[in-house]
Coordinates of all heavy atoms in Angstrom, one line a residue:
M149 N 133.0 149.4 131.6 CA 133.6 149.8 132.8 C 132.7 149.4 134.0 O 131.5 149.7 134.1 CB 133.8 151.3 132.8 CG 134.3 152.0 134.0 SD 134.6 153.7 133.8 CE 135.8 153.8 132.4
P150 N 133.3 148.8 135.1 CA 132.5 148.4 136.3 C 131.9 149.6 137.0 O 132.5 150.7 137.0 CB 133.5 147.6 137.2 CG 134.6 147.3 136.3 CD 134.6 148.4 135.2
R151 N 130.8 149.4 137.6 CA 130.2 150.5 138.4 C 129.8 150.1 139.8 O 129.4 148.9 140.0 CB 128.9 151.0 137.7 CG 129.1 151.6 136.4 CD 127.8 151.9 135.7 NE 128.0 152.4 134.4 CZ 128.0 153.7 134.1 NH1 127.7 154.6 135.0 NH2 128.3 154.1 132.9
I152 N 129.9 151.0 140.7 CA 129.5 150.8 142.1 C 128.5 151.9 142.3 O 128.7 153.1 142.0 CB 130.6 150.9 143.1 CG1 131.7 149.9 142.8 CG2 130.1 150.8 144.5 CD1 132.9 150.1 143.7
S153 N 127.3 151.6 142.9 CA 126.3 152.5 143.2 C 125.6 152.1 144.4 O 125.2 150.9 144.5 CB 125.4 152.8 142.0 OG 124.4 153.8 142.3
G154 N 125.1 153.1 145.2 CA 124.3 152.8 146.3 C 122.9 152.6 145.9 O 122.0 152.1 146.7
Q155 N 122.6 152.9 144.6 CA 121.2 152.8 144.1 C 121.2 151.9 142.9 O 122.3 151.9 142.1 CB 120.6 154.1 143.8 CG 120.5 155.1 145.0 CD 120.0 156.4 144.6 OE1 120.1 156.8 143.4 NE2 119.3 157.1 145.5
K156 N 120.2 151.3 142.6 CA 120.1 150.5 141.4 C 120.1 151.4 140.1 O 120.6 151.0 139.1 CB 119.0 149.5 141.4 CG 119.1 148.5 142.4 CD 118.0 147.4 142.4 CE 118.2 146.4 143.5 NZ 117.3 145.4 143.6
E157 N 119.5 152.5 140.2 CA 119.4 153.5 139.2 C 120.2 154.7 139.6 O 120.3 155.1 140.8 CB 117.9 153.9 139.0 CG 117.1 152.8 138.4 CD 115.6 153.2 138.2 OE1 115.5 154.4 137.8 OE2 114.7 152.5 138.3
E158 N 120.8 155.2 138.6 CA 121.7 156.4 138.8 C 121.0 157.7 138.7 O 121.7 158.7 138.5 CB 122.9 156.3 137.9 CG 123.7 155.0 138.2 CD 124.7 154.8 137.0 OE1 124.9 155.7 136.2 OE2 125.2 153.7 137.0
V159 N 119.7 157.8 138.7 CA 119.0 158.9 138.3 C 119.3 160.1 139.2 O 119.4 161.3 138.7 CB 117.5 158.6 138.4 CG1 116.6 159.9 138.1 CG2 117.1 157.5 137.5
L160 N 119.4 159.9 140.5 CA 119.7 161.0 141.4 C 121.1 161.3 141.7 O 121.4 162.3 142.4 CB 118.8 160.8 142.7 CG 117.3 160.7 142.6 CD1 116.7 160.3 143.9 CD2 116.8 162.0 142.0
C161 N 122.0 160.5 141.2 CA 123.4 160.7 141.4 C 123.9 162.0 140.6 O 123.5 162.1 139.4 CB 124.2 159.5 141.1 SG 123.8 158.1 142.1
D162 N 124.7 162.8 141.2 CA 125.1 164.0 140.5 C 126.6 164.1 140.2 O 127.1 165.0 139.7 CB 124.6 165.3 141.2 CG 125.1 165.3 142.6 OD1 125.7 164.4 143.1 OD2 124.8 166.4 143.3
I163 N 127.3 163.0 140.6 CA 128.7 162.9 140.4 C 129.2 161.5 140.2 O 128.5 160.6 140.8 CB 129.5 163.6 141.6 CG1 131.0 163.7 141.2 CG2 129.4 162.8 142.9 CD1 131.4 164.9 140.3
K164 N 130.2 161.3 139.4 CA 130.8 160.0 139.2 C 132.2 160.1 139.5 O 132.9 161.0 139.1 CB 130.5 159.5 137.7 CG 129.1 159.3 137.4 CD 128.9 158.8 136.0 CE 127.4 158.6 135.8 NZ 127.1 158.2 134.4
L165 N 132.7 159.1 140.4 CA 134.1 159.1 140.7 C 134.7 157.8 140.2 O 134.2 156.8 140.3 CB 134.1 159.1 142.3 CG 133.3 160.1 143.0 CD1 133.3 159.8 144.5 CD2 133.9 161.5 142.8
E166 N 135.8 158.1 139.5 CA 136.5 157.0 138.9 C 137.8 156.6 139.6 O 138.6 157.5 139.9 CB 136.9 157.3 137.4 CG 137.5 156.1 136.7 CD 137.7 156.5 135.2 OE1 137.6 157.5 134.8 OE2 138.2 155.5 134.5
T167 N 137.9 155.4 140.0 CA 139.0 154.9 140.8 C 140.2 154.6 139.8 O 140.0 154.4 138.5 CB 138.7 153.6 141.6 OG1 138.4 152.6 140.8 CG2 137.6 153.9 142.6
D168 N 141.4 154.4 140.3 CA 142.6 154.1 139.4 C 142.4 152.8 138.7 O 142.9 152.7 137.6 CB 143.8 154.0 140.3 CG 144.5 155.4 140.4 OD1 144.0 156.3 139.8 OD2 145.5 155.5 141.2
N169 N 141.7 151.9 139.2 CA 141.5 150.6 138.5 C 140.3 150.6 137.6 O 139.7 149.5 137.2 CB 141.5 149.4 139.4 CG 140.5 149.4 140.5 OD1 140.0 150.5 140.8 ND2 140.2 148.3 141.1
G170 N 139.7 151.8 137.3 CA 138.7 151.9 136.3 C 137.2 151.7 136.7 O 136.4 151.7 135.9
V171 N 137.0 151.6 138.1 CA 135.7 151.4 138.5 C 135.0 152.8 138.6 O 135.6 153.8 139.1 CB 135.6 150.8 140.0 CG1 134.2 150.7 140.5 CG2 136.2 149.4 139.8
L172 N 133.8 152.9 138.2 CA 133.0 154.2 138.2 C 132.0 154.1 139.3 O 131.2 153.2 139.4 CB 132.4 154.4 136.8 CG 131.9 155.8 136.5 CD1 133.0 156.7 136.5 CD2 131.2 155.8 135.2
V173 N 132.1 155.1 140.2 CA 131.3 155.1 141.3 C 130.3 156.3 141.2 O 130.7 157.5 141.0 CB 132.1 155.4 142.6 CG1 131.3 155.5 143.8 CG2 133.2 154.3 142.8
C174 N 129.0 156.0 141.3 CA 128.0 157.1 141.1 C 127.6 157.5 142.6 O 127.4 156.6 143.5 CB 126.8 156.5 140.5 SG 127.1 156.0 138.8
A175 N 127.6 158.8 142.8 CA 127.4 159.3 144.2 C 126.6 160.5 144.2 O 126.3 161.2 143.2 CB 128.8 159.5 144.8
H176 N 126.4 161.1 145.4 CA 125.7 162.4 145.6 C 126.7 163.4 146.3 O 127.2 163.1 147.3 CB 124.5 162.2 146.6 CG 123.6 161.1 146.2 ND1 122.6 161.3 145.2 CD2 123.5 159.8 146.5 CE1 121.9 160.2 145.0 NE2 122.4 159.3 145.8
K177 N 126.9 164.5 145.6 CA 127.8 165.5 146.2 C 127.5 165.9 147.6 O 128.3 166.0 148.4 CB 127.9 166.7 145.2 CG 128.6 166.5 144.0 CD 128.6 167.9 143.2 CE 129.2 167.7 141.8 NZ 129.2 169.0 141.1
E178 N 126.2 166.2 147.8 CA 125.7 166.6 149.1 C 126.1 165.7 150.2 O 126.6 166.1 151.3 CB 124.3 166.8 149.0 CG 123.7 167.5 150.4 CD 122.2 167.8 150.3 OE1 121.6 167.8 149.2 OE2 121.7 168.2 151.3
V179 N 125.9 164.4 150.0 CA 126.2 163.4 151.0 C 127.7 163.3 151.2 O 128.2 163.3 152.4 CB 125.7 162.0 150.6 CG1 126.2 160.9 151.5 CG2 124.2 162.0 150.5
L180 N 128.5 163.4 150.1 CA 130.0 163.4 150.3 C 130.5 164.6 151.0 O 131.4 164.5 151.9 CB 130.7 163.2 148.9 CG 130.4 161.9 148.1 CD1 131.0 162.0 146.7 CD2 130.9 160.8 148.9
V181 N 129.9 165.8 150.6 CA 130.4 167.0 151.3 C 130.0 167.1 152.7 O 130.8 167.6 153.5 CB 129.7 168.2 150.5 CG1 129.9 169.5 151.2 CG2 130.4 168.4 149.1
T182 N 128.8 166.5 153.1 CA 128.4 166.6 154.4 C 129.3 165.6 155.3 O 129.6 165.9 156.5 CB 127.0 166.1 154.6 OG1 126.2 167.0 153.8 CG2 126.5 166.1 156.0
A183 N 129.8 164.6 154.7 CA 130.4 163.6 155.5 C 132.0 163.8 155.6 O 132.6 163.2 156.4 CB 130.2 162.2 154.9
S184 N 132.5 164.6 154.6 CA 134.0 164.6 154.5 C 134.5 165.9 154.1 O 134.1 166.5 153.2 CB 134.4 163.6 153.5 OG 135.8 163.7 153.1
P185 N 135.4 166.5 155.0 CA 136.1 167.7 154.6 C 136.9 167.6 153.4 O 137.0 168.6 152.6 CB 137.1 168.0 155.8 CG 136.6 167.1 156.9 CD 135.8 166.0 156.3
Y186 N 137.4 166.4 153.0 CA 138.2 166.2 151.8 C 137.2 166.5 150.6 O 137.6 167.2 149.6 CB 138.7 164.8 151.7 CG 139.2 164.4 150.4 CD1 140.5 164.7 150.1 CD2 138.5 163.7 149.5 CE1 141.1 164.3 148.9 CE2 139.1 163.3 148.2 CZ 140.4 163.6 148.0 OH 140.9 163.3 146.8
F187 N 136.0 165.9 150.6 CA 135.1 166.1 149.5 C 134.5 167.5 149.5 O 134.2 168.1 148.4 CB 134.0 165.1 149.5 CG 134.5 163.7 149.0 CD1 134.5 162.6 149.9 CD2 134.8 163.5 147.7 CE1 135.0 161.3 149.5 CE2 135.3 162.2 147.4 CZ 135.4 161.2 148.2
R188 N 134.4 168.1 150.7 CA 133.9 169.5 150.7 C 134.9 170.4 150.0 O 134.5 171.3 149.2 CB 133.7 169.9 152.2 CG 133.3 171.4 152.3 CD 133.1 171.9 153.7 NE 132.1 171.2 154.4 CZ 130.8 171.4 154.3 NH1 130.3 172.4 153.5 NH2 130.0 170.7 154.9
A189 N 136.1 170.2 150.3 CA 137.2 171.1 149.6 C 137.2 170.8 148.1 O 137.3 171.7 147.3 CB 138.5 170.8 150.2
M190 N 137.1 169.5 147.7 CA 137.2 169.1 146.3 C 136.0 169.7 145.5 O 136.3 170.3 144.4 CB 137.0 167.6 146.1 CG 137.0 167.1 144.7 SD 136.8 165.3 144.6 CE 138.3 164.7 145.1
F191 N 134.8 169.7 146.0 CA 133.6 170.2 145.3 C 133.4 171.7 145.5 O 132.6 172.3 144.7 CB 132.4 169.4 145.7 CG 132.5 168.0 145.3 CD1 132.2 167.0 146.2 CD2 132.9 167.5 144.0 CE1 132.3 165.7 145.8 CE2 133.1 166.3 143.7 CZ 132.7 165.3 144.6
T192 N 134.0 172.4 146.4 CA 133.7 173.8 146.6 C 134.9 174.7 146.2 O 134.8 175.9 145.9 CB 133.3 174.1 148.1 OG1 134.4 173.7 148.9 CG2 132.0 173.4 148.5
S193 N 136.2 174.1 146.3 CA 137.3 175.0 146.0 C 138.1 174.6 144.8 O 139.0 175.4 144.4 CB 138.3 174.9 147.2 OG 137.6 175.3 148.4
F194 N 137.9 173.5 144.2 CA 138.7 173.0 143.1 C 137.8 172.8 141.8 O 136.6 172.8 141.9 CB 139.4 171.7 143.4 CG 140.4 171.9 144.6 CD1 140.0 171.5 145.8 CD2 141.6 172.6 144.5 CE1 140.9 171.7 146.9 CE2 142.4 172.8 145.5 CZ 142.1 172.4 146.7
A195 N 138.5 172.7 140.7 CA 137.7 172.5 139.4 C 136.8 171.2 139.4 O 135.9 171.1 138.6 CB 138.8 172.4 138.3
E196 N 137.2 170.3 140.3 CA 136.3 169.0 140.3 C 134.9 169.3 140.5 O 134.0 168.5 140.2 CB 136.9 168.0 141.3 CG 138.2 167.3 140.9 CD 139.4 168.1 141.2 OE1 139.3 169.3 141.7 OE2 140.6 167.6 141.0
G197 N 134.6 170.4 141.2 CA 133.2 170.7 141.5 C 132.3 170.8 140.3 O 131.1 170.6 140.3
D198 N 132.9 171.2 139.1 CA 132.1 171.4 137.9 C 132.2 170.2 136.9 O 131.6 170.3 135.9 CB 132.7 172.6 137.2 CG 132.5 173.9 138.0 OD1 131.5 174.0 138.8 OD2 133.3 174.8 137.9
K199 N 133.0 169.2 137.3 CA 133.1 168.1 136.4 C 132.0 167.0 136.6 O 131.5 166.9 137.8 CB 134.5 167.4 136.6 CG 135.6 168.3 136.2 CD 136.9 167.4 136.4 CE 138.1 168.3 135.9 NZ 139.4 167.6 136.1
G200 N 131.7 166.2 135.7 CA 130.7 165.2 135.8 C 131.4 163.9 136.3 O 130.7 163.1 137.0
V201 N 132.7 163.7 135.9 CA 133.4 162.5 136.4 C 134.8 163.1 137.0 O 135.5 163.8 136.4 CB 133.7 161.6 135.2 CG1 134.6 160.4 135.7 CG2 132.4 161.1 134.6
V202 N 135.0 162.6 138.2 CA 136.3 163.0 138.9 C 137.1 161.7 139.1 O 136.7 160.7 139.5 CB 136.0 163.5 140.2 CG1 137.2 163.9 141.0 CG2 135.2 164.9 140.1
N203 N 138.4 161.8 138.7 CA 139.3 160.7 138.8 C 139.9 160.7 140.2 O 140.5 161.8 140.6 CB 140.4 160.7 137.8 CG 141.3 159.5 137.9 OD1 141.8 159.1 138.9 ND2 141.5 158.9 136.8
L204 N 139.8 159.7 141.0 CA 140.4 159.7 142.4 C 141.7 158.9 142.2 O 141.7 157.7 142.2 CB 139.4 158.9 143.3 CG 138.0 159.6 143.5 CD1 137.2 158.8 144.4 CD2 138.2 161.0 144.1
R205 N 142.8 159.6 142.2 CA 144.1 159.0 142.1 C 144.4 158.2 143.3 O 144.1 158.6 144.4 CB 145.1 160.1 141.8 CG 144.7 160.9 140.5 CD 145.9 161.6 140.0 NE 145.6 162.4 138.9 CZ 145.3 162.1 137.7 NH1 145.3 160.8 137.3 NH2 145.0 163.0 136.7
E206 N 145.2 157.1 143.1 CA 145.7 156.3 144.1 C 144.6 155.7 145.0 O 144.9 155.5 146.2 CB 146.8 157.1 145.0 CG 147.9 157.5 144.1 CD 149.1 158.2 145.0 OE1 149.0 158.1 146.2 OE2 149.8 158.8 144.3
L207 N 143.5 155.4 144.4 CA 142.4 154.9 145.2 C 141.8 153.8 144.3 O 141.3 154.0 143.2 CB 141.4 155.9 145.5 CG 140.2 155.5 146.4 CD1 140.6 155.1 147.7 CD2 139.1 156.6 146.4
D208 N 141.8 152.5 144.8 CA 141.2 151.4 144.1 C 139.8 151.2 144.6 O 139.3 151.8 145.6 CB 142.0 150.2 144.0 CG 142.1 149.5 145.4 OD1 141.3 149.8 146.3 OD2 143.0 148.6 145.6
C209 N 139.0 150.4 143.9 CA 137.6 150.2 144.3 C 137.5 149.5 145.7 O 136.5 149.8 146.3 CB 136.9 149.4 143.2 SG 137.4 147.6 143.1
N210 N 138.4 148.8 146.2 CA 138.3 148.2 147.5 C 138.3 149.3 148.5 O 137.6 149.3 149.5 CB 139.5 147.2 147.8 CG 139.4 146.0 146.8 OD1 138.3 145.5 146.6 ND2 140.5 145.6 146.4
C211 N 139.3 150.2 148.4 CA 139.3 151.4 149.3 C 138.0 152.2 149.2 O 137.4 152.7 150.2 CB 140.5 152.3 149.0 SG 142.1 151.6 149.3
W212 N 137.5 152.4 148.0 CA 136.3 153.1 147.8 C 135.1 152.5 148.5 O 134.3 153.1 149.1 CB 135.9 153.3 146.3 CG 134.6 154.0 146.2 CD1 133.4 153.5 145.8 CD2 134.3 155.3 146.6 NE1 132.4 154.4 145.9 CE2 132.9 155.5 146.4 CE3 135.0 156.4 147.2 CZ2 132.3 156.7 146.7 CZ3 134.3 157.6 147.5 CH2 133.0 157.7 147.2
W213 N 135.0 151.2 148.5 CA 134.0 150.5 149.2 C 133.9 150.8 150.6 O 132.9 151.1 151.3 CB 134.0 149.0 149.0 CG 133.2 148.5 147.9 CD1 133.7 147.9 146.8 CD2 131.8 148.5 147.7 NE1 132.7 147.5 145.9 CE2 131.5 147.9 146.4 CE3 130.8 149.0 148.5 CZ2 130.2 147.8 146.0 CZ3 129.5 148.8 148.0 CH2 129.2 148.3 146.7
I214 N 135.1 150.9 151.3 CA 135.2 151.3 152.7 C 134.7 152.7 152.9 O 134.0 153.0 153.8 CB 136.6 151.1 153.2 CG1 137.0 149.6 153.2 CG2 136.8 151.6 154.6 CD1 138.5 149.3 153.4
I215 N 135.2 153.7 152.0 CA 134.8 155.0 152.2 C 133.2 155.1 151.9 O 132.5 155.9 152.6 CB 135.5 155.9 151.1 CG1 137.0 155.9 151.5 CG2 134.9 157.3 151.0 CD1 137.9 156.5 150.4
F216 N 132.7 154.4 150.9 CA 131.3 154.5 150.6 C 130.4 154.0 151.8 O 129.5 154.7 152.1 CB 131.1 153.5 149.4 CG 129.7 153.5 148.9 CD1 129.1 154.5 148.2 CD2 128.9 152.4 149.2 CE1 127.8 154.5 147.7 CE2 127.5 152.3 148.8 CZ 127.0 153.4 148.0
I217 N 130.8 153.0 152.4 CA 130.1 152.4 153.6 C 130.2 153.4 154.7 O 129.1 153.7 155.4 CB 130.6 151.1 153.9 CG1 130.3 150.0 153.0 CG2 130.1 150.7 155.3 CD1 131.0 148.7 153.1
L218 N 131.3 154.0 155.0 CA 131.4 154.9 156.1 C 130.6 156.2 155.8 O 130.0 156.8 156.7 CB 132.9 155.3 156.3 CG 133.8 154.2 156.8 CD1 135.3 154.6 156.9 CD2 133.4 153.8 158.3
V219 N 130.7 156.7 154.6 CA 129.9 157.9 154.3 C 128.4 157.6 154.4 O 127.6 158.4 155.0 CB 130.2 158.4 152.9 CG1 129.2 159.4 152.3 CG2 131.6 159.0 152.8
K220 N 127.9 156.5 153.9 CA 126.5 156.1 154.1 C 126.1 156.0 155.6 O 125.1 156.5 156.0 CB 126.2 154.7 153.4 CG 126.1 154.8 151.9 CD 124.9 155.6 151.5 CE 124.6 155.4 150.0 NZ 123.4 156.1 149.6
L221 N 127.0 155.3 156.4 CA 126.6 155.2 157.8 C 126.6 156.6 158.4 O 125.8 156.8 159.3 CB 127.7 154.3 158.4 CG 127.6 152.8 158.1 CD1 128.8 152.1 158.7 CD2 126.3 152.2 158.6
W222 N 127.6 157.4 158.1 CA 127.7 158.8 158.7 C 126.4 159.6 158.3 O 125.8 160.3 159.1 CB 128.9 159.5 158.2 CG 129.0 160.9 158.8 CD1 128.9 162.1 158.1 CD2 129.3 161.2 160.2 NE1 129.1 163.1 159.0 CE2 129.3 162.6 160.2 CE3 129.5 160.5 161.3 CZ2 129.5 163.3 161.4 CZ3 129.6 161.2 162.5 CH2 129.7 162.6 162.5
S223 N 125.9 159.4 157.1 CA 124.8 160.2 156.7 C 123.5 159.7 157.4 O 122.7 160.5 157.7 CB 124.6 160.2 155.1 OG 124.3 158.9 154.7
L224 N 123.5 158.4 157.6 CA 122.3 157.8 158.4 C 122.4 158.3 159.9 O 121.4 158.6 160.5 CB 122.3 156.3 158.3 CG 122.0 155.7 157.0 CD1 122.2 154.2 157.0 CD2 120.6 156.0 156.6
Y225 N 123.6 158.3 160.4 CA 123.8 158.8 161.8 C 123.4 160.2 162.0 O 122.7 160.5 163.0 CB 125.3 158.6 162.2 CG 125.6 159.2 163.5 CD1 125.2 158.5 164.7 CD2 126.3 160.4 163.7 CE1 125.5 159.0 165.9 CE2 126.6 160.9 164.9 CZ 126.2 160.2 166.0 OH 126.5 160.7 167.2
K226 N 123.6 161.1 161.1 CA 123.4 162.5 161.2 C 121.9 162.8 161.0 O 121.5 163.9 161.3 CB 124.2 163.3 160.2 CG 125.6 163.3 160.5 CD 126.4 164.2 159.7 CE 126.3 165.6 160.3 NZ 127.2 166.5 159.7
T227 N 121.1 161.8 160.4 CA 119.7 162.2 160.2 C 118.8 161.8 161.4 O 119.1 161.1 162.2 CB 119.1 161.5 158.9 OG1 119.4 160.0 159.1 CG2 119.8 162.0 157.7

């Protein structure tokens, strides 16, 4: 299964997001929650908060790359 990660090692990643086309994205919940109300609701109000892998329906890896870049830029902007 293909992987996308902002880091070469997935040691500090605490969630994996799987896109519809089977790409596994390693991420940090804190960064996602800080940058997006969608992810805040997902990880605080729904069962996905306790899962190790979350399937993102109707989202392919091309869309995820855009989201990934925006979240990274937002997290850099806020620091």
Side-chain angles (χ1 to χ4, degrees):
M149 181 174 298
R151 294 175 184 260
I152 298 174
S153 178
Q155 299 179 333
K156 292 183 180 182
E157 295 184 29
E158 301 167 10
V159 176
L160 300 176
C161 296
D162 57 357
I163 190 72
K164 293 180 181 176
L165 307 170
E166 185 176 4
T167 63
D168 270 352
N169 57 340
V171 174
L172 198 59
V173 180
C174 299
H176 306 278
K177 285 183 188 178
E178 184 176 350
V179 173
L180 295 173
V181 166
T182 301
S184 167
Y186 173 82
F187 287 112
R188 177 180 297 279
M190 178 186 287
F191 296 132
T192 60
S193 302
F194 299 104
E196 284 86 353
D198 297 329
K199 293 182 178 179
V201 177
V202 175
N203 187 311
L204 300 176
R205 302 199 188 284
E206 299 182 16
L207 183 67
D208 67 15
C209 66
N210 296 321
C211 293
W212 174 252
W213 267 115
I214 294 168
I215 294 169
F216 181 77
I217 290 167
L218 292 174
V219 166
K220 284 290 194 177
L221 289 172
W222 180 250
S223 67
L224 291 172
Y225 172 76
K226 292 186 87 170
T227 56

